[in-house]
Amino acid sequence: MTERFLEKIPLPWVGVKFYKNKPDLKLADEKMRFCEAVNFAKLKPVLLNRENINCPSALYSFGWNGRQNLIRHCGKKRTADREVLQKITTYLKPLDSSIKYIGLNTDSDPDLVICYLSPEQAMRILKMYFDSQQMPLNLELLPVMSVCGGVVVKSYQENRISISFGCEDSRKYGNIGRDRLVIGIPKNYFHVFLK
């Protein structure tokens, strides 16, 4: 089904696979942000774990670092007070910490796909969704932890399509262009686009 989905919507999708045990793949050589790794994965597969992600937001999103570390990090970057940061981290639930590795564009069947796409491409996907489901796609848009938490983890945990306009870090480090947004589609939704 994944192959049929990718043929039906030919965009630069990056498959995301969560592993509890290390697959037979080499870990990424350098530390990077998750949104950076998505870009690298367009060229070759990337395997990440706690040790080679250097972004506190991604570490929190993937269940590999505590809430207080993230609040401390965000507090240094944003003017928001501690109470606002507490609410943000309460809303964005981290992934189950039993996940130890994340593969991007590995040979394994992905748990979801992610893409940085234009508004026109997003419009076409939303139209396909509406034509298939006969109802609009309800979205929650987050201004922080957009790729790692707001798209990847939310899509996986809640089994729903997620969209984000990015965050300051993902636009800076993940090379999300000013004319792009981010979408994540869990594999349980691939059939919707094949009708």
Side-chain angles (χ1 to χ4, degrees), residues 18-95:
F18 296 109
Y19 300 96
K20 292 187 177 184
N21 299 304
K22 186 179 182 299
D24 189 20
L25 295 167
K26 183 177 179 286
L27 281 164
D29 293 328
E30 59 188 89
K31 288 190 168 217
M32 64 183 85
R33 293 171 184 272
F34 181 78
C35 49
E36 281 180 285
V38 171
N39 253 358
F40 286 122
K42 293 174 187 173
L43 304 174
K44 66 177 188 172
V46 175
L47 183 65
L48 302 167
N49 68 0
R50 178 184 190 143
E51 283 73 40
N52 60 14
I53 290 183
N54 65 359
C55 172
S57 296
L59 288 170
Y60 171 78
S61 295
F62 298 131
W64 295 337
N65 211 341
R67 183 177 181 194
Q68 293 310 315
N69 288 338
L70 176 64
I71 290 172
R72 210 170 18 259
H73 168 73
C74 289
K76 292 176 187 173
K77 291 175 53 177
R78 300 174 63 93
T79 57
D81 64 23
R82 190 171 186 79
E83 186 178 318
V84 171
L85 294 171
Q86 292 278 8
K87 286 181 184 173
I88 289 171
T89 56
T90 300
Y91 180 75
L92 289 169
K93 303 282 187 233
L95 196 63

Side-chain angles (χ1 to χ4, degrees), residues 13-184:
W13 296 102
V14 171
V16 179
K17 179 69 177 179
F18 296 109
Y19 300 96
K20 292 187 177 184
N21 299 304
K22 186 179 182 299
D24 189 20
L25 295 167
K26 183 177 179 286
L27 281 164
D29 293 328
E30 59 188 89
K31 288 190 168 217
M32 64 183 85
R33 293 171 184 272
F34 181 78
C35 49
E36 281 180 285
V38 171
N39 253 358
F40 286 122
K42 293 174 187 173
L43 304 174
K44 66 177 188 172
V46 175
L47 183 65
L48 302 167
N49 68 0
R50 178 184 190 143
E51 283 73 40
N52 60 14
I53 290 183
N54 65 359
C55 172
S57 296
L59 288 170
Y60 171 78
S61 295
F62 298 131
W64 295 337
N65 211 341
R67 183 177 181 194
Q68 293 310 315
N69 288 338
L70 176 64
I71 290 172
R72 210 170 18 259
H73 168 73
C74 289
K76 292 176 187 173
K77 291 175 53 177
R78 300 174 63 93
T79 57
D81 64 23
R82 190 171 186 79
E83 186 178 318
V84 171
L85 294 171
Q86 292 278 8
K87 286 181 184 173
I88 289 171
T89 56
T90 300
Y91 180 75
L92 289 169
K93 303 282 187 233
L95 196 63
D96 178 347
S97 62
S98 68
I99 304 289
K100 303 297 183 192
Y101 299 90
I102 302 170
L104 301 175
N105 274 352
T106 60
D107 287 337
S108 302
D109 193 34
D111 294 310
L112 66 128
V113 292
I114 184 173
C115 187
Y116 300 166
L117 69 172
S118 71
E120 182 180 355
Q121 291 164 331
M123 179 263 310
R124 293 185 192 290
I125 289 172
L126 292 175
K127 183 180 182 314
M128 291 172 75
Y129 179 89
F130 185 84
D131 290 348
S132 170
Q133 302 299 293
Q134 298 297 302
M135 60 188 298
L137 178 64
N138 291 319
L139 299 170
E140 294 176 353
L141 301 172
L142 301 171
V144 294
M145 294 183 270
S146 60
V147 178
C148 54
V151 171
V152 172
V153 171
K154 272 202 161 296
S155 288
Y156 180 71
Q157 284 179 327
E158 299 176 12
N159 190 35
R160 66 178 181 162
I161 297 170
S162 297
I163 289 180
S164 173
F165 290 102
C167 60
E168 292 168 0
D169 281 358
S170 64
R171 292 202 172 271
K172 180 177 179 181
Y173 300 106
N175 200 27
I176 300 175
R178 59 185 302 213
D179 62 341
R180 302 279 138 176
L181 55 98
V182 186
I183 189 169

